[in-house]
């Protein structure tokens, strides 16, 4: 659940959000929107890559410098997506 992509502090923030979701559905439902928001962050780059480049990029996503601000933006975008498409 995005453990490899983020540092521990960011993972704890993500999981805190998942756990606090209504009916405990954060890991099952909200995680999908977090992944979609995550891919949206790199959309322009991903669209310009061929399969081999995509595969390599997804194995080593450039998030080592991400901190609280980036995770908050990711969660905000995921919330917007869940509101628009989650019903």
């Amino acid at each position: 659940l995005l453990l490899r992509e983020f540092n521990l502090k960011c993972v704890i923030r993500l999981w805190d959000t998942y756990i606090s979701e209504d009916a405990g559905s954060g890991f099952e439902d909200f995680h999908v929107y977090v992944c979609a928001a995550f891919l949206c962050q790199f959309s322009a780059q991903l669209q310009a890559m061929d399969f081999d480049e995509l595969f390599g990029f997804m194995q080593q996503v450039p998030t080592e410098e991400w901190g609280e601000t980036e995770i908050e933006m990711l969660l905000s975008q995921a919330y917007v997506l869940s509101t628009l498409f989650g019903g």
Side-chain angles (χ1 to χ4, degrees):
L1 296 173
L2 300 174
L3 287 171
R4 291 183 336 145
E5 287 77 13
F6 301 116
N7 62 46
L8 183 59
K9 187 175 180 180
C10 292
V11 170
I12 290 171
R13 177 63 183 94
L14 279 173
W15 285 29
D16 179 60
T17 301
Y18 294 161
I19 291 168
S20 61
E21 277 293 302
D22 290 337
S25 64
F27 285 100
E28 297 165 3
D29 297 328
F30 193 64
H31 181 68
V32 173
Y33 298 106
V34 170
C35 290
F38 184 70
L39 291 174
C40 286
Q41 294 288 323
F42 301 103
S43 178
Q45 293 168 285
L46 294 173
Q47 290 179 34
M49 296 178 184
D50 64 21
F51 180 78
D52 290 333
E53 291 173 316
L54 278 169
F55 196 76
F57 182 85
M58 294 309 294
Q59 287 185 333
Q60 195 151 7
V61 182
T63 55
E64 60 273 350
E65 298 296 320
W66 278 35
E68 188 175 331
T69 302
E70 291 81 9
I71 290 298
E72 290 299 327
M73 294 297 293
L74 181 71
L75 290 171
S76 296
Q77 187 174 7
Y79 178 76
V80 169
L81 292 173
S82 72
T83 303
L84 290 172
F85 300 108

